[in-house]
Amino acid sequence: NIEMFEQIGKLYYEKGDTEKAMEEWYKITKSVPGQYSRHQILAGIFKSYGMYKQAAEEYQRAIDLQPSFPYLYSQLAELYMVNKEFKLATDVYLKALIRIPINYSDRWEMIKNLIEMCKIEGLSDMIVSELEKDIRQNPSNYLSTMTLADFYFYKGDTDKSLEQYKALLFAYPDNGKTIYDRAKILEREQKIDDSINFYSNLKNVLFVFYLTFYFDSSIRHLVFRRFLL
């Protein structure tokens, strides 16, 4: 059915009857309501015909139905970037980064895109402000602190990133390996002083990261604080 609606819509579109084409395409979502993938498919169709406003609306509907699917955020943000709507793209990336797992493969690409938009639009202060607000409002969501730390890290502000990573580890010791990975990145980039700074500040943290697996989770944070202080 989806292919049929898509093909009929395409034929109407090629005839110049956009209204009829959209009628057919919207039948895709009506055929199985409530499934985010139908809106994703429809968004892709609109995008392919340069109908960016309609595509953005459908990606947003898909996100509303499946807020934990990172790909949808990426597609919507990229759509806004193509149209040079950088603030809207920034909002979408921030919503994604505080919801999706830290091991998501495109997470770094999202952060790098944020940094590129900062260079174009000067959005850095807004990004920091939004993340700090979310940290205050949702202290249990470690992804907000991780995103702020990574944002500083990829901007090249290693001191501020280190400050945020350490704050994160006070509350969530299990993320110790993340800091080690950042130090290795600095090392590979030949930023030796920054790398030494990370290793020096976090050597106890990394030690405790491995040590705390031998302790019950209820006292893990106490052990962790003992080695940091």
Side-chain angles (χ1 to χ4, degrees), residues 13-222:
Y13 186 86
E14 289 172 351
K15 274 182 62 179
D17 194 338
T18 304
E19 187 177 337
K20 279 281 190 185
M22 290 178 67
E23 277 182 25
E24 292 299 323
W25 289 331
Y26 275 120
K27 288 177 183 176
I28 291 172
T29 57
K30 291 174 183 173
S31 63
V32 188
Q35 289 197 5
Y36 81 91
S37 58
R38 301 299 191 265
H39 294 283
Q40 181 185 351
I41 291 166
L42 184 54
I45 293 170
F46 285 142
K47 183 180 176 182
S48 68
Y49 287 99
M51 302 166 73
Y52 296 123
K53 180 178 179 292
Q54 291 85 353
E57 288 171 354
E58 291 307 315
Y59 277 128
Q60 187 57 61
R61 288 186 180 111
I63 288 170
D64 292 342
L65 290 168
Q66 186 63 275
S68 62
F69 189 20
Y71 178 79
L72 297 172
Y73 294 95
S74 294
Q75 291 299 302
L76 180 55
E78 287 169 15
L79 202 62
Y80 286 137
M81 288 176 71
V82 166
N83 287 317
K84 302 188 185 306
E85 296 178 277
F86 299 116
K87 188 177 183 306
L88 290 174
T90 297
D91 289 340
V92 173
Y93 278 133
L94 287 176
K95 285 175 184 174
L97 288 162
I98 64 176
R99 288 173 172 82
I100 62 176
I102 60 173
N103 60 354
Y104 174 58
S105 59
D106 285 346
R107 184 179 174 82
W108 307 125
E109 196 62 36
M110 288 183 177
I111 290 172
K112 288 172 184 175
N113 283 341
L114 276 180
I115 291 166
E116 285 304 310
M117 285 187 286
C118 286
K119 294 175 184 174
I120 299 167
E121 289 285 304
L123 294 169
S124 183
D125 289 344
M126 187 207 83
I127 290 169
V128 170
S129 175
E130 286 297 313
L131 288 170
E132 287 179 341
K133 183 173 79 173
D134 194 75
I135 290 166
R136 289 193 301 273
Q137 293 177 346
N138 303 291
S140 62
N141 183 10
Y142 76 92
L143 287 170
S144 300
T145 306
M146 177 66 79
T147 300
L148 182 57
D150 285 339
F151 179 71
Y152 281 134
F153 181 84
Y154 279 101
K155 269 190 73 182
D157 194 336
T158 52
D159 287 340
K160 284 187 177 178
S161 69
L162 186 55
E163 181 183 326
Q164 292 300 321
Y165 287 132
K166 289 175 76 171
L168 175 71
L169 290 169
F170 262 116
Y172 300 96
D174 289 355
N175 282 293
K177 187 176 181 301
T178 302
I179 316 306
Y180 178 78
D181 291 340
R182 302 302 179 273
K184 293 298 289 182
I185 290 171
L186 291 169
E187 191 177 346
R188 287 197 298 273
E189 292 179 351
Q190 297 297 303
K191 296 178 180 176
I192 305 304
D193 289 341
D194 286 335
S195 183
I196 289 171
N197 187 25
F198 260 58
Y199 282 127
S200 297
N201 275 277
L202 295 169
K203 58 187 177 183
N204 286 339
V205 174
L206 295 172
F207 170 69
V208 175
F209 166 65
Y210 293 108
L211 182 66
T212 51
F213 280 109
Y214 294 99
F215 291 88
D216 183 86
S217 60
S218 63
I219 64 167
R220 189 175 294 174
H221 69 285
L222 298 176

